[in-house]
Amino acid sequence: MLPAFAFILAMLAAGRLLAWRRIVPADAPAALNLVVLYVCLPAAVLLYAPRLAFERELLGLIALPWLILGASAGVTLLLARVLRFDRAATAALLLLVALGNTSFLGFALIPALAGVDALRYAVVYDQFGSFLILSTFGLIVLGLYGGERPTLRSIARRIATFPPFIALVVALVLMPKESPDVVTKPLRLLADSLLPLVALASGMQLRLRMPRHHLGAFAYGLVAKLLLMPLLALGLCVLLGLDGAMRAAAVYETAMPPMITAGALLSLAGLAPELAAALVGFGIVLSMATLPLWHFALAHVA
């Protein structure tokens, strides 16, 4: 685990240096993210999703991110009312407390944190949880707070054209559980490139500026995302009977820092862009300290 975190920090620093010195074009992070989205993530899904077999506990794993969503939205709306967060900050917190970087960073880190066997469960959490939440609840929040309401057609189109989701359907319907080496070796090479590409692109996009006028919202967002929601996920795993690699995947995915894609959508909608960038940037850096804490906690939970 420690070499993986050291490598991520090194790649974050390298990416930040490349962007700071303007060695790479301004759109380099977007290009890397597109490679990850259209090539590396589908390869990882095709490689690990076919190994899924129906287990009753999978229903609990699918339900868990939605339960986290309900809890985080309820607490966020209550605190926003009590502490008088403005509408833009409330929208940012509704998305970034509920949604973590479960695909880009999650898929890259889960093998180091919980073993390769847990990655198939991370795929379930991400595709049936984070992705569908962003495509439904996320678009609704952006519409309600940003002024452009989504339609059922736009939501369905987003889901049907998302490359990792298409790969998931192909993996579950067409891929055998054990593919020949001629298939698995190229997929593994592409999947293994997730970590360096994601860390490098994240470093290029890293913004560590404290939004002073959103200090309360910023502090709540990071504490809730990195500590409170994973703690709730751990409790829910016990109640739902999730154990072993499935429990580890659920807790780690919940503990991932705020989702980069959600932060970008908030910025594009003009909804507290400084707060969103700060939550994403500081979240990535601080998660390098909080994720080992959850590793320790999982090792000591029966």
XYZ file of all heavy atoms in Angstrom, residues 201-239:
295
model
N -2.863 13.339 -14.315
C -3.897 14.299 -14.701
C -4.429 15.056 -13.487
O -4.682 16.266 -13.561
C -5.040 13.569 -15.414
N -4.586 14.347 -12.356
C -5.063 15.006 -11.135
C -4.074 16.057 -10.665
O -4.464 17.143 -10.212
C -5.287 13.971 -10.031
O -6.300 13.046 -10.399
N -2.774 15.754 -10.771
C -1.764 16.733 -10.399
C -1.813 17.972 -11.268
O -1.664 19.105 -10.787
N -2.037 17.784 -12.563
C -2.136 18.927 -13.471
C -3.333 19.806 -13.141
O -3.302 21.023 -13.350
C -2.258 18.427 -14.915
C -1.008 17.746 -15.450
S -1.290 17.129 -17.133
C 0.236 16.239 -17.437
N -4.405 19.188 -12.624
C -5.630 19.929 -12.314
C -5.679 20.420 -10.872
O -6.625 21.107 -10.487
C -6.847 19.034 -12.564
C -7.026 18.617 -14.012
C -8.124 17.582 -14.159
O -7.962 16.420 -13.826
N -9.273 18.017 -14.644
N -4.687 20.079 -10.080
C -4.726 20.338 -8.646
C -4.796 21.841 -8.363
O -3.993 22.621 -8.858
C -3.475 19.745 -7.989
C -3.561 19.409 -6.506
C -4.685 18.440 -6.222
C -2.230 18.814 -6.039
N -5.786 22.213 -7.558
C -5.947 23.603 -7.139
C -6.074 23.624 -5.623
O -7.047 23.112 -5.074
C -7.194 24.225 -7.786
C -7.159 24.259 -9.311
C -6.102 25.225 -9.832
N -6.120 25.291 -11.291
C -5.414 24.504 -12.088
N -4.628 23.564 -11.562
N -5.481 24.624 -13.392
N -5.105 24.190 -4.955
C -5.102 24.213 -3.493
C -5.265 25.650 -3.005
O -4.376 26.237 -2.392
C -3.803 23.599 -2.958
C -3.577 22.127 -3.315
C -2.233 21.637 -2.809
C -4.699 21.253 -2.773
N -6.428 26.211 -3.290
C -6.736 27.565 -2.845
C -7.913 27.502 -1.872
O -8.957 26.950 -2.193
C -7.089 28.460 -4.036
C -5.923 28.684 -4.991
C -6.339 29.556 -6.156
N -5.231 29.745 -7.089
C -5.346 30.390 -8.256
N -6.526 30.888 -8.614
N -4.313 30.508 -9.054
N -7.722 28.077 -0.714
C -8.749 28.051 0.312
C -9.830 29.090 0.005
O -9.536 30.285 -0.080
C -8.122 28.357 1.673
C -9.090 28.212 2.825
S -9.405 26.483 3.219
C -7.810 26.016 3.911
N -11.072 28.659 -0.213
C -12.155 29.616 -0.459
C -12.639 30.218 0.866
O -13.497 29.665 1.537
C -13.236 28.746 -1.112
C -13.002 27.375 -0.547
C -11.531 27.274 -0.249
N -12.084 31.357 1.263
C -12.336 31.906 2.596
C -13.819 32.194 2.846
O -14.315 32.021 3.965
C -11.503 33.176 2.803
C -10.001 32.904 2.760
C -9.206 34.163 3.103
N -7.767 33.894 3.025
C -7.057 33.332 3.980
N -7.661 32.979 5.105
N -5.760 33.127 3.839
N -14.533 32.660 1.824
C -15.948 32.961 2.029
C -16.797 31.700 2.107
O -17.979 31.775 2.430
C -16.459 33.895 0.928
C -16.248 33.363 -0.464
N -14.996 33.170 -0.995
C -17.126 32.995 -1.426
C -15.104 32.710 -2.228
N -16.379 32.582 -2.511
N -16.201 30.541 1.795
C -16.904 29.262 1.911
C -16.210 28.356 2.920
O -16.287 27.139 2.812
C -16.931 28.545 0.552
C -17.884 29.151 -0.428
N -19.196 29.434 -0.127
C -17.721 29.496 -1.739
C -19.803 29.947 -1.196
N -18.932 29.995 -2.182
N -15.547 28.955 3.914
C -14.722 28.161 4.820
C -15.531 27.111 5.578
O -15.107 25.962 5.735
C -14.001 29.081 5.803
C -12.890 28.440 6.636
C -11.834 27.808 5.733
C -12.260 29.462 7.570
N -16.715 27.487 6.071
C -17.555 26.538 6.799
C -18.003 25.388 5.916
O -17.943 24.214 6.319
N -18.447 25.705 4.710
C -18.883 24.672 3.772
C -17.713 23.779 3.366
O -17.859 22.559 3.241
C -19.501 25.321 2.531
N -16.551 24.381 3.190
C -15.343 23.638 2.815
C -14.965 22.638 3.908
O -14.705 21.461 3.638
C -14.212 24.632 2.568
C -12.858 24.018 2.389
C -12.521 23.381 1.214
C -11.909 24.085 3.408
C -11.253 22.813 1.047
C -10.658 23.533 3.251
C -10.328 22.892 2.064
N -14.944 23.098 5.164
C -14.572 22.230 6.279
C -15.581 21.088 6.432
O -15.188 19.925 6.599
C -14.494 23.042 7.577
N -16.868 21.421 6.375
C -17.882 20.366 6.490
C -17.745 19.359 5.353
O -17.809 18.145 5.570
C -19.292 20.976 6.469
C -20.339 19.967 6.070
C -20.674 18.914 6.913
C -20.958 20.040 4.814
C -21.611 17.965 6.521
C -21.891 19.101 4.425
C -22.211 18.063 5.278
O -23.126 17.114 4.886
N -17.552 19.844 4.127
C -17.480 18.955 2.969
C -16.367 17.935 3.083
O -16.566 16.742 2.824
N -15.183 18.367 3.500
C -14.056 17.440 3.605
C -14.222 16.457 4.767
O -13.944 15.263 4.622
C -12.747 18.220 3.765
C -12.219 18.913 2.507
C -10.881 19.592 2.798
C -12.060 17.928 1.350
N -14.670 16.961 5.918
C -14.869 16.069 7.062
C -15.941 15.031 6.746
O -15.778 13.830 7.037
C -15.241 16.881 8.324
C -15.672 15.945 9.458
C -14.062 17.732 8.776
N -17.040 15.468 6.150
C -18.128 14.547 5.828
C -17.692 13.519 4.792
O -17.967 12.322 4.941
C -19.344 15.327 5.334
N -16.992 13.967 3.736
C -16.639 13.060 2.644
C -15.568 12.057 3.045
O -15.669 10.871 2.700
C -16.138 13.870 1.426
C -15.823 13.004 0.215
C -17.106 12.444 -0.374
C -16.878 11.324 -1.351
N -16.577 10.035 -0.696
N -14.546 12.525 3.753
C -13.395 11.661 4.023
C -13.513 10.869 5.330
O -12.836 9.846 5.484
C -12.113 12.504 4.059
C -11.770 13.251 2.764
C -10.508 14.078 2.949
C -11.620 12.298 1.590
N -14.383 11.320 6.255
C -14.467 10.665 7.552
C -15.874 10.169 7.895
O -16.062 8.991 8.214
C -13.966 11.611 8.654
C -12.494 12.043 8.553
C -12.161 13.073 9.618
C -11.570 10.834 8.659
N -16.865 11.055 7.851
C -18.196 10.682 8.325
C -18.889 9.672 7.405
O -19.476 8.690 7.894
C -19.067 11.934 8.481
C -18.562 12.977 9.486
C -19.551 14.134 9.580
C -18.357 12.338 10.856
N -18.855 9.906 6.096
C -19.534 8.989 5.176
C -18.877 7.607 5.151
O -19.583 6.584 5.138
C -19.603 9.592 3.768
C -20.522 10.806 3.673
S -22.206 10.497 4.267
C -22.298 11.638 5.643
N -17.544 7.495 5.157
C -16.946 6.156 5.249
C -17.296 5.450 6.561
O -17.486 4.231 6.578
C -15.438 6.443 5.162
C -15.339 7.745 4.479
C -16.533 8.530 4.895
N -17.390 6.211 7.661
C -17.782 5.613 8.938
C -19.205 5.072 8.842
O -19.493 3.961 9.323
C -17.680 6.655 10.049
C -18.032 6.159 11.461
C -17.089 5.048 11.896
C -17.994 7.324 12.447
N -20.085 5.833 8.224
C -21.455 5.356 8.013
C -21.451 4.123 7.115
O -22.198 3.166 7.366
C -22.295 6.470 7.374
C -23.729 6.107 6.995
C -24.522 5.646 8.212
C -24.417 7.304 6.312
N -20.626 4.133 6.067
C -20.546 2.976 5.162
C -20.097 1.727 5.913
O -20.620 0.631 5.673
C -19.587 3.269 4.013
N -19.147 1.886 6.814
C -18.671 0.750 7.600
C -19.806 0.181 8.451
O -19.984 -1.043 8.534
C -17.495 1.179 8.477
C -16.799 0.090 9.291
C -16.284 -1.027 8.387
C -15.649 0.687 10.096
N -20.575 1.055 9.084
C -21.722 0.592 9.859
C -22.778 -0.079 8.999
O -23.347 -1.110 9.378
N -23.045 0.488 7.832
C -24.029 -0.103 6.926
C -23.575 -1.468 6.422
O -24.397 -2.364 6.212
C -24.276 0.837 5.741
C -25.078 2.106 6.054
C -25.087 3.035 4.849
C -26.512 1.756 6.457
N -22.266 -1.628 6.200
C -21.742 -2.931 5.768
C -22.065 -4.013 6.797
O -22.426 -5.139 6.444
C -20.228 -2.852 5.555
S -19.728 -2.027 4.034
N -21.939 -3.669 8.075
C -22.255 -4.628 9.132
C -23.742 -4.967 9.094
O -24.135 -6.138 9.163
C -21.850 -4.065 10.508
C -22.284 -5.020 11.616
C -20.342 -3.826 10.569
N -24.596 -3.941 8.951
C -26.040 -4.162 8.928
C -26.484 -4.951 7.699
O -27.405 -5.771 7.775
C -26.776 -2.820 8.965
C -26.668 -2.011 10.261
C -27.351 -0.663 10.110
C -27.283 -2.787 11.422
